[in-house]
Amino acid sequence: ATAASSVVTAFSVSVTGGSSSTDSILSTLRKEAQPEYIRSYSLLSFGLRLADANQEAGVYERLFQVVFLATSLVVPILLAGVLLIVWVVPLKPHAQNGLLRLGHALDAWVALDVFAVVVAICSLDFGRITWYAAHQGDMEEACHWIRRELSSNACVRADVNLEKGFVMLAAAAVALLLVPKVALRACRRAVMKRDQLNSRAWASSVLTSQGR
């Protein structure tokens, strides 16, 4: 499910031109202007685009890209594999304990739920933030200068829109937030019972040998 949710289109970004005139501001607020640029993203395509969007991407941009893809995609898949092995494959106690510790470590690094929440928040507020920055915020002066000196319409509004695939992405995020913790807790209880049974069996064998 995690792998499938990473390739479905989850959200899109639309950029609409505008100006600082009152009529254009009202039309922008009402979203009556036609978008000039629309691009759809899945989790995987967004991650691959992080550094590729900048032709001069350096080490830090590439590192951020690797960390994002690792915590949002690779780590969840590895965690699911570890839990499946612990739950299904008969292993020696030492191997089980090691895989459980690995599972706890991987669970701490899963960030798919964070990504889903950020996308959902951006769909609500990103358009208003970009409009404010272009018309009343830090970009207002630059917008006016470019329009006045270069006769170019520089003020834009960018919106993040949720697509149908976001439901699958959100479901995978919720599952990764809950299922591993429940499974790891059940595994810990099973390990504790196993260790208790092994201790009792060892004590019984010692007593039996001493009685002889």
Side-chain angles (χ1 to χ4, degrees):
T2 302
S5 66
S6 68
V7 296
V8 298
T9 300
F11 65 99
S12 60
V13 178
S14 60
V15 178
T16 307
S19 67
S20 60
S21 64
T22 302
D23 293 339
S24 181
I25 291 174
L26 291 175
S27 65
T28 304
L29 284 173
R30 295 170 184 170
K31 299 184 180 180
E32 294 174 356
Q34 294 296 321
E36 300 174 356
Y37 171 89
I38 298 178
R39 188 177 183 91
S40 299
Y41 294 96
S42 64
L43 185 151
L44 180 60
S45 64
F46 179 77
L48 295 175
R49 185 70 177 169
L50 280 176
D52 295 339
N54 182 5
Q55 296 180 353
E56 299 180 357
V59 177
Y60 295 109
E61 288 82 359
R62 292 296 180 184
L63 180 61
F64 178 75
Q65 182 184 40
V66 170
V67 172
F68 173 80
L69 289 173
T71 56
S72 299
L73 180 59
V74 178
V75 171
I77 294 176
L78 290 177
L79 176 59
V82 168
L83 292 177
L84 183 63
I85 291 173
V86 172
W87 199 264
V88 175
V89 179
L91 299 170
K92 294 182 178 180
H94 180 72
Q96 285 182 339
N97 294 336
L99 285 177
L100 284 177
R101 285 193 292 269
L102 177 60
H104 282 289
L106 291 173
D107 183 50
W109 281 96
V110 172
L112 182 60
D113 54 333
V114 177
F115 175 71
V117 170
V118 169
V119 171
I121 293 175
C122 286
S123 70
L124 299 175
D125 287 332
F126 195 72
R128 284 181 290 182
I129 292 173
T130 55
W131 179 89
Y132 179 83
H135 295 286
Q136 298 181 11
D138 296 335
M139 293 172 57
E140 182 182 11
E141 184 177 350
C143 265
H144 284 299
W145 185 90
I146 293 175
R147 189 183 303 107
R148 183 178 63 253
E149 300 296 331
L150 304 179
S151 299
S152 176
N153 189 8
C155 294
V156 296
R157 173 191 174 112
D159 289 282
V160 176
N161 306 300
L162 300 182
E163 304 294 339
K164 294 180 179 179
F166 181 79
V167 176
M168 188 174 182
L169 180 69
V174 172
L176 281 170
L177 185 64
L178 300 177
V179 173
K181 293 175 176 59
V182 174
L184 288 170
R185 182 175 300 177
C187 288
R188 285 199 305 270
R189 291 177 180 175
V191 166
M192 290 177 62
K193 290 182 179 179
R194 180 204 66 195
D195 293 340
Q196 289 176 357
L197 291 175
N198 288 340
S199 299
R200 290 175 183 176
W202 178 81
S204 178
S205 64
V206 170
L207 292 175
T208 302
S209 63
Q210 288 178 351
R212 294 178 182 177

